[in-house]
């Protein structure tokens, strides 16, 4: 799995418990990111629909949520990974932009990314292998990057892992049916069939995923955009087209209230950070439209960047590290008997 701001890796066990206790057969993950949570639900037998605005997240959702390993010939995937791994390195846009003009990856790995990404486009574009191959390439590149986990800057000195050779690995498909949707949760939600359980994990602040993970966007879109600044971000990071209401302090509360009201789910689970714009009481009020509300407060290991400190573009420390832990509020709302059952299950 890639390094991802706000990823719910450590919350997956408790979210799985909640989903099982709810008795849900169908689930919706409206801000799916890495798809960790959606994968946990799918593993426990739920039919999951995974939504996100990010192109790379859609690649993950197609790979792990929509594809059913039992319906795929996984030997074809192994053969394609072997073929890509054998390609001759070839410097192109990726090497120039992210390894030479900026230093996110060592050029020897950038040249392999260029060769593999071109082959994925030319040889697999209209096959079921397209997304799993892209997922494998993103995961491989993430293992040899030279950042603290976001792409707003690269490290002044090469990270040790960046010297390793980029290696493609089988992303490991999962059995079972599911659905992946690329889109804004606010637009998508009204067109979806009702589900038993919806999980909402919106962004917590003004920092946009589109900017934080611009390299993964470009690697998936493969559109060779013009870039700007030392971080070499896509030019369209500056435009309004890729903005989310959930990254705007004035818009966020209304957007979330609307989303909670309009999502067709018997029960919802919302996770939200205690250092963000809405406090515990506001979250409870916001979820009351769904019925009974209970909150679990889970101590959560902060994102590693927050622990390391704040750095400027030259890689010099300009801010102190924050606390190592903060609290994630998990708000459960729905029919009283279901919510009570979920709440009890999470406490044991
Ligand atoms: C906190 S992260 C979710 C992390 C995810 N639960 C995980 O464990 O990986 C928030 C996600 O919301 C997505 N996002 C932001 N605005 C969105 C919107 N309006 N509709 C759908 N997804 C959005 C971002 O791309 C990001 O992946």
């Amino acid at each position: 799995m890639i390094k991802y701001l706000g990823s719910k890796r450590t919350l997956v066990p408790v979210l799985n418990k909640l989903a099982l206790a709810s008795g849900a057969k169908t689930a919706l993950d409206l801000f799916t990111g890495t798809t960790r949570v959606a994968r946990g639900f799918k593993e426990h037998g739920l039919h999951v629909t995974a939504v996100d605005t990010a192109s790379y997240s859609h690649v993950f959702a197609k790979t792990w949520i929509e594809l059913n390993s039992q319906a795929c010939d996984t030997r074809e995937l192994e053969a394609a990974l072997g073929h890509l791994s054998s390609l001759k390195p070839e410097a192109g846009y990726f090497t120039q932009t992210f390894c030479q003009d900026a230093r996110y990856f060592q050029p020897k790995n950038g040249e392999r990314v260029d060769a593999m990404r071109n082959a994925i486009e030319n040889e697999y574009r209209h096959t079921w292998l397209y997304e799993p191959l892209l997922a494998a390439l993103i995961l491989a590149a993430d293992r040899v990057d030279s950042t603290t986990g976001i792409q707003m800057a690269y490290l002044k000195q090469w990270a040790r892992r960046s010297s390793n050779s980029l290696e493609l690995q089988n992303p490991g498909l999962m059995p079972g049916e599911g659905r992946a949707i690329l889109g804004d949760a606010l637009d998508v939600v009204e067109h979806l069939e009702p589900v038993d359980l919806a999980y909402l994990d919106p962004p917590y602040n003004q920092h946009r995923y589109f900017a934080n993970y611009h390299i993964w966007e470009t690697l998936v879109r493969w559109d060779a955009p013009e870039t700007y600044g030392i971080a070499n971000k896509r030019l369209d990071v500056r435009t309004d087209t890729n903005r989310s209401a959930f990254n705007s302090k004035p818009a966020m509360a209304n957007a979330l209230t609307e989303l909670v009201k309009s999502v067709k789910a018997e029960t919802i689970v919302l996770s939200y950070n205690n250092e963000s714009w809405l406090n515990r009481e506001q979250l409870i009020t916001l979820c009351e439209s769904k019925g009974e509300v209970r909150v679990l407060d889970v101590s959560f290991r902060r994102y590693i960047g927050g622990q390391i400190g704040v750095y400027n573009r030259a890689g010099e420390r300009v801010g102190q590290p924050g606390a190592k832990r903060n609290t994630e509020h998990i708000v459960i709302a729905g029919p009283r008997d279901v919510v009570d059952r979920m709440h009890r299950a999470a406490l044991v």
Side-chain angles (χ1 to χ4, degrees), residues 71-83:
C72 300
D73 182 351
T74 47
R75 286 167 305 181
E76 287 181 24
L77 179 55
E78 282 293 344
L81 289 167
H83 166 57

Side-chain angles (χ1 to χ4, degrees), residues 4 6-8 30-34 52-53 184-185 201 203 209 244 246:
Y4 203 57
S7 162
K8 295 300 171 296
L30 277 172
F31 300 86
T32 199
T34 58
D52 204 289
T53 42
D184 188 316
D201 185 22
Y209 283 82
S244 167
F246 298 94

Side-chain angles (χ1 to χ4, degrees), residues 41-113:
F41 291 169
K42 181 173 170 179
E43 224 164 60
H44 287 85
L46 279 75
H47 180 285
V48 187
T49 301
V51 179
D52 204 289
T53 42
S55 313
Y56 53 84
S57 173
H58 189 56
V59 160
F60 297 150
K62 281 269 188 189
T63 301
W64 290 310
I65 305 305
E66 195 162 293
L67 279 178
N68 176 359
S69 60
Q70 286 162 331
C72 300
D73 182 351
T74 47
R75 286 167 305 181
E76 287 181 24
L77 179 55
E78 282 293 344
L81 289 167
H83 166 57
L84 294 179
S85 301
S86 72
L87 293 174
K88 197 164 143 285
E90 198 179 341
Y93 175 88
F94 193 92
T95 309
Q96 182 67 47
T97 313
F98 301 125
C99 309
Q100 281 161 350
D101 299 343
R103 290 163 30 105
Y104 291 99
F105 305 90
Q106 302 219 11
K108 64 169 186 176
N109 284 325
E111 289 165 14
R112 298 195 67 214
V113 171

